[in-house]
C-alpha cells in the first residue's frame, strides 16, 4: 500500500532528480528527512519506480543504475533493507556499504576495483545515513570517493536524524550541494510523541 504523503514526497524527489539531470553538477545529494515510521522507505520506492520509468521512456544510451546501501553492520537490519526493496529487484541492487568501504580503504586494487566499478553512475540510496556521516564515517568516505570519480551521481541520504548533514548544509561546510525533502506524517500517524502521550505507558516516576 502506498500512502498519499509518500506520493507527495516522492514527486518532490523526482523533481530534484530532473533538476540534477538538467544541470552541470556531477554529484547531487538529496537529504530525505522524516520522522520515525513516517513512510521514508515507501517514499523512496515510489520515487525510484517513477524515475526508472522515466529513464526507460527516454531510451538513453547512458549507463544508469540504482543502488541501495545499508550502513549498519547488524545482520537483521541488513536483511530488513533487502526485504524492503525485494519487490524492486528488477531495478535496484542492495549492497552493504561495508563492502564498498573496505574496497575504498584498500585503494581499489585488484578485486576491490571490481567492487567499486559495480557503481557506475545513477542513483545511490543510503539508508540510515547519519550513521556514517563525518570525517571517519563510511558514508563520508563513499561520498568523497564518488565526488572524485568520473561518473554522475544522485545520492539520497535517508534517515530520521540526519543532523550532521543538515548542519553541514546550514553552515556551508559541505563539499557538495545538498537539497532537502521532508516527508510529512500522513493521516493517523502515531509516532513516539503520540505513544508517550497515550495511556499505554506507565510513568513510574509519577507520584
Amino acid at each position: 500500500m502506498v500512502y498519499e504523503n509518500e506520493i507527495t514526497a516522492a514527486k518532490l524527489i523526482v523533481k530534484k532528480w530532473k533538476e540534477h539531470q538538467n544541470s552541470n553538477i556531477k554529484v547531487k545529494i538529496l537529504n530525505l528527512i522524516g520522522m520515525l515510521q513516517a513512510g521514508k522507505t515507501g517514499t523512496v520506492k515510489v520515487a525510484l519506480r517513477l524515475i526508472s520509468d522515466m529513464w526507460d521512456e527516454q531510451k538513453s544510451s547512458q549507463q544508469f543504475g540504482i543502488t541501495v546501501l545499508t550502513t549498519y553492520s547488524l545482520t537483521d537490519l541488513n536483511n530488513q533493507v533487502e526485504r524492503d526493496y525485494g519487490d524492486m529487484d528488477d531495478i535496484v541492487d542492495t549492497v552493504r556499504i561495508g563492502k564498498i568501504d573496505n574496497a575504498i580503504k584498500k585503494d581499489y586494487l585488484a578485486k576491490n576495483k571490481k567492487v567499486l566499478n559495480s557503481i557506475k553512475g545513477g542513483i545511490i540510496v543510503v539508508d540510515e545515513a547519519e550513521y556514517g556521516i563525518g570525517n571517519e564515517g563510511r558514508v563520508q568516505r563513499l561520498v568523497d570517493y564518488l565526488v572524485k570519480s568520473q561518473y554522475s551521481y544522485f545520492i539520497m541520504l535517508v534517515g530520521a536524524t540526519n543532523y550532521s548533514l543538515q548542519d553541514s548544509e546550514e553552515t556551508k561546510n559541505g563539499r557538495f550541494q545538498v537539497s532537502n525533502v521532508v516527508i510529512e506524517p500522513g493521516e493517523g500517524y502515531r509516532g513516539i510523541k503520540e505513544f508517550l502521550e497515550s495511556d499505554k505507558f506507565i510513568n513510574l516516576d509519577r507520584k
Side-chain angles (χ1 to χ4, degrees), residues 105-130:
K105 290 189 290 188
K106 292 178 180 177
D107 295 324
Y108 355 114
L109 298 175
K111 64 180 181 180
N112 298 313
K113 182 69 173 178
K114 184 177 180 180
V115 170
L116 293 172
N117 281 345
S118 66
I119 304 178
K120 289 187 175 179
I123 295 176
I124 296 176
V125 179
V126 185
D127 191 55
E128 303 297 350
E130 174 69 12

Side-chain angles (χ1 to χ4, degrees), residues 38-202:
K40 294 184 293 294
T41 299
T43 295
V44 173
K45 291 175 67 174
V46 172
L48 294 181
R49 184 62 70 182
L50 290 172
I51 290 172
S52 177
D53 291 345
M54 291 173 60
W55 190 263
D56 289 342
E57 290 176 3
Q58 293 177 10
K59 297 181 180 179
S60 173
S61 59
Q62 181 181 348
Q63 190 166 13
F64 180 78
I66 300 174
T67 305
V68 175
L69 301 175
T70 61
T71 55
Y72 290 128
S73 300
L74 295 176
T75 299
D76 288 348
L77 293 176
N78 282 280
N79 290 341
Q80 178 183 326
V81 172
E82 292 174 359
R83 288 194 299 270
D84 288 343
Y85 289 90
D87 59 342
M88 301 189 72
D89 58 359
D90 57 319
I91 62 171
V92 170
D93 292 321
T94 56
V95 181
R96 297 190 181 194
I97 197 172
K99 184 177 181 181
I100 305 294
D101 188 51
N102 287 336
I104 292 174
K105 290 189 290 188
K106 292 178 180 177
D107 295 324
Y108 355 114
L109 298 175
K111 64 180 181 180
N112 298 313
K113 182 69 173 178
K114 184 177 180 180
V115 170
L116 293 172
N117 281 345
S118 66
I119 304 178
K120 289 187 175 179
I123 295 176
I124 296 176
V125 179
V126 185
D127 191 55
E128 303 297 350
E130 174 69 12
Y131 183 75
I133 291 291
N135 291 333
E136 300 301 321
R138 56 184 66 174
V139 173
Q140 189 68 54
R141 276 193 293 271
L142 173 67
V143 171
D144 289 343
Y145 170 78
L146 297 178
V147 168
K148 294 175 184 176
S149 76
Q150 60 179 309
Y151 302 110
S152 176
Y153 296 96
F154 184 79
I155 305 172
M156 280 191 272
L157 303 184
V158 183
T161 58
N162 292 350
Y163 302 124
S164 296
L165 186 65
Q166 292 176 59
D167 179 68
S168 178
E169 161 69 0
E170 291 167 2
T171 59
K172 306 303 179 186
N173 290 326
R175 287 163 284 180
F176 36 75
Q177 188 181 59
V178 178
S179 291
N180 295 321
V181 168
V182 178
I183 174 171
E184 300 294 344
E187 183 178 353
Y189 172 78
R190 293 181 63 81
I192 295 176
K193 179 182 177 182
E194 287 75 19
F195 279 116
L196 289 175
E197 292 176 349
S198 73
D199 59 358
K200 305 301 181 184
F201 286 82
I202 299 175

